[in-house]
Amino acid sequence: MKLKLAVLPGDGIGPEIMEQGLAVAKAISEKFGHELSYEYAICGADAIDKVGDPFPEETFQLCMDSDAVLFASVGDPKFDNNPNAKVRPEQGLLAMRKKLGLFANIRPVTTFDCLVHKSPLKDELVRGADFICIRELTGGMYFGEKFESDDKAYDTNYYTRPEIERILKVGFEYAMKRNKHLTVVDKANVLASSRLWRKIAQEMAPQYPEVTTDYMYVDNAAMRMIQEPRFFDVMVTENTFGDILTDEGSCITGSMGLLPSASTGEHTPVFEPIHGSWPQAKGLNIANPLAQILSVAMLFEYFDLKAEGALIREAVNASLDQNVRTPEIQVEGGAKYGTKEVGAWIVDYIKNK
Ligand code: IPM
Ligand code: MN
């Protein structure tokens, strides 16, 4: 098929991991006879420096005109340490989510057997844990009415029925495709918005009789994820809870550098690693490119190109098995591979398959 990508490398380690993700996308396209084209666009701190806007109109237009967006990361410490900064790189990410209508953020939490020892949790708890967090991405406190003054501030956790219905539908549908277990995470004992979520979920559940649906308060879910991560199959939750729980989820697996994500909705879907821009590692050739590469796998799978996705996953697993790993997950005494070397190894694997 013909595939046009908007490539947004962003800040920090973004450009380095993007180079490897793109190389994998090219290798797979060549192997399977797809016509891949792509165009770069700026975002984040890079775009603030160049044009004063973290998600410029031109970048938005390119995203709208593409089949998919491959995104790396945004963020720069020069903004983090300045609470008075008028524009921040993260606003670019939020603008992209809102303008592309990316209401469903799919974050798989997958463990790799050869890396369970990297998890802060006991091996026997973590081994085999494999669930998906579906995070609502364009509503809630992130986008609700805000007020900020020196002695008063608030954010509004605003949700409408259609917003809740469409994300719950994604949750039920993912559960149908997987082990038919959906956990709706909320705080219905305290929050009105959560009560509406739960009410609508209870209304929808009978449409999916094969799915076992349970309801869990977010504090309890945070605990259960640590106590028994294998309990979960698909979890669906609002924007803020999803933000927090997916960072927790990434810890379970042992390395943030391994987790990809997909954001889908009304317009062009976006594929990106869940980790940030790690500015301290910029240019050092030490960042793990696997989350970006696995985001490319999710991209192909989104277009129902299953064999393409499977081959990328096979190559990633092979690299881990053969200890072709970046320093943070390398075994003791193992050779140190850089971002470029891991990417090149995976590209070679794909080409020679
Ligand atoms: C994420 C990030 C973003 C969020 C930040 C960078 C705005 O933490 O994608 O999880 O809070 O959504
Ligand atoms: Mn986050």
Side-chain angles (χ1 to χ4, degrees):
M1 75 181 273
K2 265 193 173 172
L3 208 53
K4 183 180 173 201
L5 303 185
V7 176
L8 276 56
D11 307 319
I13 57 169
E16 294 163 61
I17 55 172
M18 182 60 86
E19 200 183 317
Q20 303 315 318
L22 200 52
V24 168
K26 283 186 207 164
I28 282 285
S29 300
E30 226 160 86
K31 179 118 214 152
F32 288 85
H34 301 303
E35 210 178 297
L36 182 80
S37 61
Y38 59 92
E39 220 173 293
Y40 285 95
I42 54 172
C43 65
D46 178 37
I48 298 178
D49 290 343
K50 288 178 177 145
V51 300
D53 178 350
F55 190 61
E57 183 60 26
E58 259 180 49
T59 299
F60 171 57
Q61 280 312 327
L62 178 69
C63 293
M64 289 297 282
D65 293 343
S66 303
D67 299 310
V69 178
L70 195 55
F71 184 94
S73 52
V74 292
D76 189 299
K78 75 179 176 213
F79 296 94
D80 293 344
N81 302 331
N82 175 9
N84 298 319
K86 290 227 162 47
V87 278
R88 297 174 173 279
E90 290 78 6
Q91 286 167 351
L93 187 56
L94 300 184
M96 178 176 77
R97 290 172 180 171
K98 196 68 177 176
K99 291 176 99 170
L100 295 177
L102 302 169
F103 63 84
N105 183 214
I106 316 296
R107 295 189 166 183
V109 176
T110 315
T111 46
F112 294 83
D113 278 353
C114 62
L115 292 175
V116 284
H117 64 285
K118 286 277 171 191
S119 171
L121 302 183
K122 293 194 185 92
D123 285 17
E124 66 265 28
L125 283 182
V126 175
R127 198 175 292 277
D130 174 12
F131 62 92
I132 290 192
C133 180
I134 296 173
R135 168 187 176 194
E136 200 290 326
L137 204 58
T138 52
M141 270 194 284
Y142 275 64
F143 296 96
E145 188 194 319
K146 290 174 190 294
F147 177 82
E148 214 165 342
S149 74
D150 278 346
D151 43 23
K152 191 168 92 181
Y154 61 76
D155 304 276
T156 316
N157 204 27
Y158 182 86
Y159 272 110
T160 62
R161 175 175 278 268
E163 285 176 314
I164 299 170
E165 277 173 355
R166 66 183 181 180
I167 190 72
L168 287 174
K169 184 162 180 273
V170 176
F172 281 113
E173 282 169 0
Y174 261 89
M176 285 299 289
K177 282 190 279 184
R178 290 179 46 106
N179 297 324
K180 302 189 167 58
H181 177 199
L182 180 69
T183 305
V184 180
V185 176
D186 62 32
K187 188 71 187 168
N189 51 346
V190 177
L191 302 178
S193 50
S194 278
R195 282 192 287 275
L196 184 60
W197 271 72
R198 192 172 284 214
K199 182 172 183 258
I200 294 173
Q202 283 166 343
E203 285 169 17
M204 289 172 75
Q207 294 167 38
Y208 304 88
E210 286 168 60
V211 176
T212 305
T213 307
D214 42 40
Y215 303 90
M216 205 181 273
Y217 297 141
V218 62
D219 45 352
N220 188 21
M223 187 173 77
R224 195 74 181 261
M225 274 171 65
I226 298 295
Q227 277 179 332
E228 195 192 357
R230 279 192 302 253
F231 171 83
F232 297 100
D233 175 27
V234 179
M235 104 177 15
V236 60
T237 191
E238 61 147 272
N239 203 344
T240 307
F241 298 160
D243 177 47
I244 299 165
L245 292 180
T246 52
D247 261 33
E248 186 184 345
S250 75
C251 261
I252 296 175
T253 69
S255 171
M256 248 196 155
L258 288 167
L259 297 191
S261 79
S263 301
T264 64
E266 294 163 19
H267 304 293
T268 318
V270 174
F271 301 85
E272 58 170 313
I274 81 151
H275 61 69
S277 59
W278 198 16
Q280 301 79 358
K282 183 184 168 142
L284 300 182
N285 194 36
I286 57 169
N288 194 337
L290 293 187
Q292 187 77 58
I293 290 171
L294 288 167
S295 300
V296 173
M298 288 187 87
L299 188 158
F300 282 101
E301 286 159 356
Y302 174 88
F303 292 103
D304 221 24
L305 302 171
K306 295 199 179 77
E308 288 79 342
L311 181 53
I312 298 176
R313 292 178 192 280
E314 182 188 317
V316 165
N317 287 332
S319 74
L320 290 170
D321 284 344
Q322 300 197 25
N323 294 332
V324 178
R325 305 178 183 186
T326 41
E328 92 287 2
I329 52 169
Q330 187 50 293
V331 291
E332 229 175 82
K336 294 239 171 10
Y337 289 84
T339 314
K340 286 196 175 95
E341 290 73 27
V342 171
W345 193 95
I346 288 171
V347 165
D348 271 354
Y349 184 99
I350 291 168
K351 284 189 173 155
N352 296 324
K353 190 67 193 178

